[in-house]
Structure formats: structure tokens, C-alpha cells
Amino acid sequence: MADVVVVDRPWQVPYIAERVDHDTPLVYSSHNVESELYSHLDSSYLTKGLLTTVRDLEQNAIETADLTITISSRDKNIYQNKFDKCGEIHVAPAAGYKNTIEDQQSASPALPFNKDSSDFIACFVGNDHYPNIEAVNEIASMARRTTDDGVQYLIIGNVCDQFSEDSVPPNMHLLGFVDSIEPYYSLSDIALNPICSGSGVNIKMLEYFQQGVTTLSTPFGARGVEAEPGVHYAQSDISNFPEKIVHLKNNPSEREDMSSNAKLLIQEKLNWETVSKNLFSKLREL
């Protein structure tokens, strides 16, 4: 017999709850506020019914479970404000790994341009998921607005497959899939997270943190990340990214402070070792 049953997503909670012994704690593991995730659907009769079903299932999961696990304080607050009968909620935040770029021996990577000592390198990493494609289109616009500011943009990952070299400005470089990402983080002055759509937490932001690269994110891109803008990362609306990039270029001490704070956050709090330890402690209490 299980000591505790953890159910992933709200859809299975009613089925599992009927089959679990009443003395066995039932835990609902929430990866998103599902009713919020589905709220973008249009207002047709069919989708209204779907949204009602999603909300009812989510509320049932919250009220049935002996413990709910969320990935952020933001999600916890939404549940507590939305549902009257919230039980105990434990935040197990999305996290990174303690190893940093200093822990690895990395050769300088080959670049598709002759890097000048005055060049300022901004990188973006992503697969070909639509929000990343959308982000690269935004970066292309930024690159065109900063061609005279010495900013070079590196786009890394399979998202590059959706673009061609002749479709992007000359200071934007499509590197595609690379065998080792660390050398490019080491080379970069900032990492970009210009995400404006999608769901869940942008894990790439935590990877930027752990590798010690100053991060610039939209508010949406930073949702669910247990970090403070202006302390652990820079934040800006997407329309002001070019100006913010130039500001960061001209303020190296500000970049250094944020990257140091972000690395320390990963080392002390937002690492899987610490998050897992705290979660297992909470499960044992049940």
C-alpha cells in the first residue's frame, strides 16, 4: 500500500480519489493554473462549456487533495483567491542545477562573425515551440533597432530551423543546434527571454541564472519564477527591449550585480536538491 498518492494534473483526481483508501493522503501536483491557461479560448458556446469543465475539475482537485503542490507563489495566491475551500498548498518552485559555467572547461566557440572587443553579445536559446518562434521574430525587430549600438544577437537551438539567414538582420546570427551550450553562455553579456505567450515556467530563465548570464525578460516570460526583477534579472515590456539592452550594455556593474544575485539564488534556494528536500519533508508530514 502506498504511503501517499500524488496525482499529476486535475483531470485524474476524481478517478483516483474514488480508489484511494481514506487513510492515504492524496496530493494534487499542479503545473499550471489550468483555468487561466485555457482562458485564452474564444467565447463560443462550446469553449465556454470547456472552460467551465476545466475550472470545476481544478476546483475539485484543490478541495479534494490533502495537499496541493504549485510551482510558484503566484499560482498559490491565485488558488487561494479563486477557491474558497483551499487546503494546504506547498510551493515547490521550478529550479535549476547548482553547477555553473565556472565548473566546466569550455573552449571559445566559433562565431559566424568577427567579434570586435566592443561587441555586446545577447543570446537566446529555444526549440521550435511557437512562443520561441514568436520571440525570435521580436529579437529580429530589436536587432534592426540596435544595428548602430554594437549589439550582436546569437540565436541557439532548433528554433533557428524556422528562419533563414537572409530573413534576419546582419547583427543576428542563427547558430542552430550546438553540441555544447556553455561556451556561448560564457561569451554572452546578456541572455534574452522575450517570451509573450505560452504556459508554465520558462526553464531557460533558470538556466540563464545558473550559468551566470545577466537575464533580460518580459514580465510574462518571468511569470512563476521565484526571483525579483531589478535584483536577480532585468525586466522590460517587449516594446522597450532595445532601449533596455543598450542600457545594460552601458552599465556593466548593474549586470554584474544581477548575475551574481541570480547565481546565488540558484545556489541557495532555486536548485533541485533544495526544492526536492523541502518537498519530501512536506510529504513525510502527511
Side-chain angles (χ1 to χ4, degrees), residues 137 139-148 153 166-169 171:
N137 279 318
I139 292 172
S141 176
M142 299 171 204
R144 293 185 180 96
R145 290 171 60 183
T146 54
T147 52
D148 297 327
Y153 297 82
D166 59 3
S167 68
V168 299
N171 59 334

Side-chain angles (χ1 to χ4, degrees), residues 7-243:
V7 186
D8 189 39
R9 313 287 181 176
W11 330 121
Q12 296 86 250
V13 171
Y15 178 87
I16 299 297
E18 290 180 358
R19 289 157 177 80
V20 173
D21 188 273
H22 291 297
D23 295 329
T24 302
L26 180 66
V27 178
Y28 166 46
S29 179
S30 168
H31 293 263
N32 304 288
V33 177
E34 300 292 346
S35 52
E36 180 183 62
L37 178 61
Y38 283 80
S39 64
H40 70 282
L41 297 174
D42 61 53
S43 58
S44 67
Y45 177 80
L46 179 63
T47 54
K48 280 184 178 179
L50 175 59
L51 287 172
T52 299
T53 300
V54 169
R55 188 186 187 281
D56 289 348
L57 283 168
E58 189 166 48
Q59 182 173 6
N60 175 74
I62 297 292
E63 295 180 352
T64 300
D66 297 289
L67 175 71
T68 296
I69 302 170
T70 65
I71 61 171
S72 70
S73 298
R74 173 185 178 274
D75 288 5
K76 175 181 178 178
N77 293 335
I78 290 174
Y79 283 148
Q80 290 176 330
N81 291 330
K82 181 175 288 191
F83 303 126
D84 295 331
K85 298 180 181 180
C86 276
E88 186 175 6
I89 300 177
H90 174 77
V91 179
Y97 295 96
K98 284 187 175 182
N99 66 300
T100 64
I101 203 163
E102 287 85 357
D103 300 324
Q104 305 166 42
Q105 298 297 319
S106 302
S108 297
L111 292 173
F113 64 96
N114 294 321
K115 184 179 181 302
D116 187 90
S117 60
S118 62
D119 282 337
F120 186 76
I121 308 296
C123 73
F124 173 81
V125 180
N127 60 20
D128 57 0
H129 186 45
Y130 176 75
N132 290 328
I133 297 172
E134 186 178 50
V136 172
N137 279 318
E138 292 288 355
I139 292 172
S141 176
M142 299 171 204
R144 293 185 180 96
R145 290 171 60 183
T146 54
T147 52
D148 297 327
D149 295 296
V151 183
Q152 300 285 344
Y153 297 82
L154 306 182
I155 312 301
I156 304 166
N158 294 337
V159 67
C160 295
D161 296 342
Q162 304 300 316
F163 299 87
S164 60
E165 289 289 350
D166 59 3
S167 68
V168 299
N171 59 334
M172 181 172 169
H173 311 281
L174 305 174
L175 303 184
F177 177 82
V178 297
D179 291 328
S180 179
I181 189 68
E182 288 79 13
Y184 294 96
Y185 283 138
S186 180
L187 188 70
S188 298
D189 296 292
I190 61 171
L192 304 177
N193 189 35
I195 298 297
C196 297
S197 65
S199 63
V201 174
N202 287 123
I203 299 298
K204 67 166 63 70
M205 192 164 170
L206 295 165
E207 183 174 314
Y208 293 161
F209 284 5
Q210 78 185 48
Q211 297 294 355
V213 189
T214 303
T215 303
L216 172 59
S217 178
T218 57
F220 185 87
R223 75 205 180 287
V225 175
E226 299 282 287
E228 185 178 346
V231 176
H232 302 105
Y233 66 97
Q235 183 170 282
S236 172
D237 292 333
I238 193 69
S239 60
N240 294 324
F241 255 55
E243 290 78 11

